[in-house]
Amino acid sequence: MINSACESYRSDVEQVAAKYDMSAYVDLILALMMQESSGQGTDVMQSSEGAYNTQYPQTPNGITDVDYSIACGIQELKYSMTKADVTGPNDIANIKLALQGYNFGADSYFSYLEDNNITSWSFESAKEFARIASGNTKRHEEDPLHDPAGPWDYGDQRYPEHVLRYYHPEES
């Protein structure tokens, strides 16, 4: 369920989503926000390290303007969804690819998928990408991210599952 902090951004998300032709994905954007920040802080979409952030440091929580974070995050998600050929809010298979691309960085992740003829998301392929991207660096077993985010020290290898627990598209 989306918490009240994220819900309080619904009208902002709706306005920015409309600007980028993403109105059908407001609930998905809010689910992503829920996973990224639970609506807390100024970089609610955790989009400061993405390609669309040109005004703030590209470091974790570098964005200090909520509206700018939302705009960057929506553009980042749209780019990833285009790469994943998402056809609509119920295209969960391709949404999974898009979400993992959002978390890992779309260009490198989609290049990896293409190079390996991978057309659907799996935890195994996400782990393999993270292994390569981390330079074979494992998370320490005591690392609080080890179990929820995966064994490799790169991104969240279960990111689609984590976002989708908050996303329940209307059945059409």
Side-chain angles (χ1 to χ4, degrees), residues 32-47:
L32 191 152
M33 182 189 293
M34 184 71 192
Q35 176 60 27
E36 289 292 347
S37 70
S38 296
Q40 303 300 309
T42 54
D43 190 6
V44 292
M45 300 291 286
Q46 293 292 297
S47 53

Side-chain angles (χ1 to χ4, degrees), residues 92-155:
I92 300 301
N94 286 331
I95 285 173
K96 286 179 181 179
L97 289 172
L99 289 170
Q100 194 68 70
Y102 183 94
N103 180 257
F104 280 164
D107 287 335
S108 56
Y109 180 62
F110 283 99
S111 292
Y112 164 80
L113 295 176
E114 194 174 309
D115 293 347
N116 292 280
N117 295 312
I118 298 169
T119 58
S120 63
W121 181 85
S122 71
F123 178 53
E124 292 307 314
S125 66
K127 278 195 312 191
E128 181 57 16
F129 175 85
R131 182 188 68 76
I132 295 163
S134 71
N136 288 311
T137 305
K138 283 197 171 219
R139 286 194 171 108
H140 195 274
E141 301 225 1
E142 270 94 58
D143 184 326
L145 293 175
H146 183 278
D147 291 337
W152 299 103
D153 194 18
Y154 189 88

Side-chain angles (χ1 to χ4, degrees), residues 48-61:
S48 59
E49 294 172 79
Y52 293 90
N53 172 23
T54 57
Q55 295 179 22
Y56 291 90
Q58 286 196 322
T59 57
N61 296 305

